[in-house]
Amino acid sequence: TASPAMDRVIALARRAAGSQIPILIEGESGVGKELIARAIQGSGDRKAKPFVTVNCGALPANLVESILFGHERGAFTGATEKHAGKFQEAHGGTLFLDEVGELPLDAQVKLLRALQEGEIDPVGGKRSVRVDFRLISATNRDLIALVREGRFREDLYYRLNVFPIRVPPLRERREDIPELARHFLARFA
C-alpha cells in the first residue's frame, strides 16, 4: 500500500495483534477485511493456533446455533453425532465472524454470553463448555443503524466494537491501484 489511509489501518492492526480484546473490522464488501483479520492473527500470540472463519450471512437460520456452539447427539432430528461448533474449533486461536450483522437475535444472545463468560452452551448439552478464543468480527453494515432498528443487540455491539478498524474502499485510496495491479498481474501471469 502507498496510501496514508491504509498506513493507519496497518498501524491499528499491529496494535490489535498485541492484545486479546475483541476487534471489529468495518468496511464495504471486497476491501480486505478478512485479509486484515488474518494479518492480526498472524502477528499475534495465537499465530500458530487455529484461525476459524464463519460467514454469518451464509449460515442457515435453523442451524446457526448448532454450527457456532455445537450440539450433542440426539439434540434434534438428524443430530446423529456430537458436533463441536466453531467456537470449540477456534479454542486457543481466533474466531473470525464475517458479516456479524447478519446473526439472528437469539444467536446474538449466546454470542454475548460467550464473550462475557468464556463459555458456550452446545445445543442439547447439559453443561457449559469453557472456550478460549480471540474474537475478530467484520461487517459491511452500519451496526449502529441495526441497533436503532432493533435488529442488533446494543450490548453486543459495544462488546464487539472494543477496538474498531475501518478499512477504506479503494476509491478513497487510489494511490494503491498501481501496486495492486502489479501484484495481481504477477500473481495471475
Side-chain angles (χ1 to χ4, degrees):
T1 181
S3 71
M6 283 305 290
D7 286 344
R8 182 179 180 281
V9 168
I10 292 168
L12 285 171
R14 282 192 178 116
R15 279 187 38 216
S19 74
Q20 296 301 316
I21 60 176
I23 299 165
L24 179 63
I25 304 172
E26 300 170 293
E28 296 176 10
S29 292
V31 296
K33 296 183 294 288
E34 184 172 347
L35 193 64
I36 299 296
R38 287 184 182 277
I40 291 168
Q41 158 80 1
S43 300
D45 294 342
R46 297 178 186 244
K47 63 183 165 202
K49 304 292 184 180
F51 182 86
V52 177
T53 300
V54 178
N55 181 345
C56 297
L59 296 175
N62 60 334
L63 294 177
V64 169
E65 288 188 34
S66 172
I67 291 169
L68 290 178
F69 307 107
H71 64 257
E72 296 294 324
R73 181 176 178 222
F76 52 85
T77 305
T80 57
E81 297 177 8
K82 181 178 179 172
H83 168 72
K86 298 297 183 181
F87 278 84
Q88 286 176 286
E89 287 178 29
H91 184 73
T94 300
L95 180 63
F96 176 58
L97 295 180
D98 198 10
E99 303 311 337
V100 72
E102 303 297 325
L103 275 179
L105 285 169
D106 53 343
Q108 291 177 31
V109 172
K110 285 187 130 184
L111 173 57
L112 182 62
R113 182 172 187 275
L115 281 169
Q116 290 174 332
E117 307 297 329
E119 297 183 339
I120 58 165
D121 293 313
V123 177
K126 292 186 179 5
R127 63 183 92 124
S128 299
V129 176
R130 300 268 326 144
V131 285
D132 171 31
F133 62 95
R134 198 267 170 84
L135 184 68
I136 302 176
S137 304
T139 185
N140 65 1
R141 312 273 307 271
D142 181 353
L143 291 184
I144 283 290
L146 293 178
V147 167
R148 280 190 223 110
E149 295 168 11
R151 295 174 42 210
F152 200 83
R153 292 181 58 97
E154 185 175 12
D155 49 0
L156 179 58
Y157 170 76
Y158 289 110
R159 275 295 210 174
L160 297 178
N161 196 34
V162 176
F163 196 115
I165 299 175
R166 181 186 170 273
V167 183
L170 195 54
R171 69 179 169 278
E172 293 178 15
R173 51 189 178 99
R174 294 182 189 269
E175 57 271 19
D176 286 341
I177 294 173
E179 188 61 38
L180 287 169
R182 279 190 288 279
H183 168 77
F184 289 120
L185 183 62
R187 182 174 174 188
F188 295 114

